Amino acid sequence: MVKKFLILFSVIVFMGNILSCKVKGGEKKIDEEIQLPQPKTRGKISLEESILKRHSVRDFSKRILSREQISQLLWAAYGEKHDAKTGATKTVPSAGAAYPMETYLVSSQGFFHYFPQNHKLVKLKNIDLRSSLSKAALRQGCVSSAGVNIVITCVYDRICGRYKKRGIKYAYIEAGHIAQNIHLQAVCLGLSSVAVGAFSDEAVQKVLDLPNDHIPVYIIPVGYPKKK
Ligand SMILES: Cc1cc2nc3c(=O)[nH]c(=O)nc-3n(C[C@H](O)[C@H](O)[C@H](O)COP(=O)(O)O)c2cc1C
């Protein structure tokens, strides 16, 4: 009886491991949930000051970003809010409230998918993909040196189903809203950023092993500026 139970238990554990780990190119795919801290709605500097201070920075220091900073950046990018009065549910506008974007985070700590509904990150890979991502972005140094890269992708079916070809334009505009929120939030956190549009969509998809319908639109490297 005990032996049978042990065999059954080993089989369950083995199957569980197979289901939760997809091995690809030697990289284990994991599924670890990380609850992000509650984002703040009051900052140290004004909106006007962050607009004034924002500029592109392409050389970052090695300093790691805190979980609070990452939480704040992702919330500003595509986080949720619940405003009963206005009905607005996200930090950015979206044509027809379709919200077709999916955001990912690439850092020295691993590769993560952001889930705005519960403000969680799901760790997909335990390795630092910044250098590989940089190669997919014409070897731009800002991508490999940034503390984090926020990768904005679009699931075009979610927007083109309703708006057909025009949905593509709407997706690009929405990516711009997201990017600007990240840039301004970064300044408020004492961080810097740059917009990166020069990359191979296919190479980025391959490096990150993204689902086929998550098409990369924009990469926003963020970090502490390197002191000169
Ligand atoms: C759509 C878009 C794509 C961009 N792509 C890149 C890029 O691939 N690499 C880069 O270093 N800067 C990129 N930039 C940043 C611009 O070069 C930068 O914003 C511009 O030179 C103005 O400088 P400022 O951001 O400091 O005001 C991009 C900006 C936009 C809006």
Side-chain angles (χ1 to χ4, degrees), residues 54-58 137-138 140 142 183 193-199 217-219:
R54 184 219 62 84
H55 65 279
S56 294
V57 167
R58 297 178 176 84
L138 317 182
Q140 295 192 62
C142 53
H183 294 312
S193 61
V194 60
V196 169
F199 54 81
V217 179
Y218 227 175
I219 301 173

Side-chain angles (χ1 to χ4, degrees), residues 113-132:
H113 189 179
Y114 174 56
F115 287 88
Q117 306 87 321
N118 40 24
H119 199 48
K120 272 184 184 171
L121 278 176
V122 172
K123 192 177 211 179
L124 300 174
K125 284 183 188 173
N126 227 345
I127 54 165
D128 183 354
L129 290 171
R130 289 176 302 167
S131 294
S132 312

Side-chain angles (χ1 to χ4, degrees), residues 24-164:
K24 196 190 170 210
E27 298 163 9
K28 262 189 187 171
K29 211 165 184 186
I30 49 174
D31 258 330
E32 181 193 327
E33 279 196 11
I34 300 156
Q35 181 64 59
L36 291 166
Q38 191 71 13
K40 292 198 171 83
T41 52
R42 266 179 206 278
K44 286 189 182 133
I45 67 172
S46 70
L47 174 65
E48 292 79 1
E49 201 178 336
S50 67
I51 292 172
L52 189 71
K53 284 187 171 163
R54 184 219 62 84
H55 65 279
S56 294
V57 167
R58 297 178 176 84
D59 209 3
F60 299 100
S61 87
K62 285 194 167 41
R63 199 167 151 195
I64 287 174
L65 271 59
S66 69
R67 200 170 271 198
E68 283 71 24
Q69 287 172 320
I70 290 170
S71 160
Q72 203 64 43
L73 288 165
L74 290 170
W75 176 77
Y78 217 50
E80 290 210 340
K81 55 181 190 163
H82 300 282
D83 193 326
K85 253 191 202 163
T86 63
T89 56
K90 269 198 189 285
T91 50
V92 290
S94 178
Y99 303 111
M101 318 307 266
E102 293 288 334
T103 47
Y104 292 87
L105 189 90
V106 177
S107 79
S108 60
Q109 318 283 297
F111 172 52
F112 307 83
H113 189 179
Y114 174 56
F115 287 88
Q117 306 87 321
N118 40 24
H119 199 48
K120 272 184 184 171
L121 278 176
V122 172
K123 192 177 211 179
L124 300 174
K125 284 183 188 173
N126 227 345
I127 54 165
D128 183 354
L129 290 171
R130 289 176 302 167
S131 294
S132 312
L133 186 63
S134 163
K135 281 182 195 147
L138 317 182
R139 298 185 181 271
Q140 295 192 62
C142 53
V143 175
S144 48
S145 71
V148 301
N149 288 277
I150 298 175
V151 181
I152 304 166
T153 73
C154 183
V155 183
Y156 286 99
D157 280 355
R158 290 187 197 158
I159 186 109
C160 294
R162 195 182 308 176
Y163 297 109
K164 308 290 178 267

